[in-house]
Amino acid sequence: MRTPLVAGNWKMNGTRASVAELMQGLAGETDGLTGVETLVCPSFVFIQQVQELIGKTSIKLGAQDLYVEAGGAFTGEISGPMLADAGCQYVLVGHSERRALMGETDEIVARKFAAAQEHGLVPVLCLGETLDERQSDATMAVISRQFLAVVETVGIEAFRNAVVAYEPVWAIGTGETASPEQAQEVHAALRALAAKRSAKIAADLRLLYGGSVKAANARELFSMPDIDGGLIGGASLQAEEFLAICQAASS
Ligand code: PEP
């Protein structure tokens, strides 16, 4: 049984005041939802504030990135041990914005995935194809390459304690969502790919969909058999909208 996960990626947004307001809207509200896990991933500077505001509620805390090394002379970077010490349980790795804008390669993403697990964090591995890649029928090749780059580095066993988010780049922040059928096709292919290494791990692996998910389209997406929740960007910045998405994933 896979418990759906709805994760909010706040990206580089917020102020202490807006974070307080957003958390006031969320804290306590998710506790009544059954059969869904809720996660928020604020910017590094808000992690401590969010951790305090989460208090005893069921909301989980995550970060948006980490560095491959555990500590040392890496000015400006944040390590896995720091995130774990700050109360994070999850961390996104390989978000398409980091791959495209910060030059993160499959190799770096795989090292970040391994670093996260080494320090007790659950990695949420993000992968997805660009519009050009979809239009040239390369979707499955790209998804397989991105997924297998991590599997070859850490082994399929590592996916016992990980989440994968399929996020077509053309759907992120564009308002254009993959249809439930388009998303399901990729999710099923990813699960089949994992199943070639371990049927049990593949069956238990949570596969999230991300890309312009909102309250209006969440239920239909989450009703697909291989979609186990969502990674939500823009819509996670509004408490009511995010809660409605969490509601759509709950049982
Ligand atoms: C994301 O950044 O992971 C994302 C899915 O963004 P949005 O929901 O805004 O498309």
Side-chain angles (χ1 to χ4, degrees), residues 9 11 92 95 97 167 171-175 210-213 231-235:
N9 172 15
K11 311 197 189 196
L92 308 184
H95 190 279
E97 285 149 18
E167 299 205 297
I172 296 182
T174 59
S212 298
V213 176
L231 179 53
I232 321 297

Side-chain angles (χ1 to χ4, degrees), residues 38-42 44 46-52 54-55 57-63 78-91 119-122:
T38 308
L39 165 69
V40 292
C41 301
F44 293 131
F46 301 125
I47 282 175
Q48 189 182 348
Q49 183 191 4
V50 172
Q51 201 229 5
E52 284 162 14
I54 283 175
T57 72
S58 60
I59 301 172
K60 304 269 169 50
L61 179 61
I78 307 277
S79 71
M82 289 173 177
L83 295 177
D85 186 47
C88 289
Q89 290 150 289
Y90 287 85
V91 61
H119 304 295
L121 299 161
V122 178

Side-chain angles (χ1 to χ4, degrees), residues 61-77:
L61 179 61
Q64 298 171 19
D65 184 35
L66 81 168
Y67 191 55
V68 295
E69 300 291 345
F74 302 102
T75 302
E77 294 297 335

Side-chain angles (χ1 to χ4, degrees), residues 129 134 137-145 182 185-187 189-190 193:
E129 82 288 2
R134 176 158 281 265
D137 254 347
T139 299
M140 294 311 170
V142 171
I143 299 302
S144 305
R145 191 203 74 226
Q182 279 174 320
E185 186 185 17
V186 176
H187 283 229
L190 262 170
L193 200 58

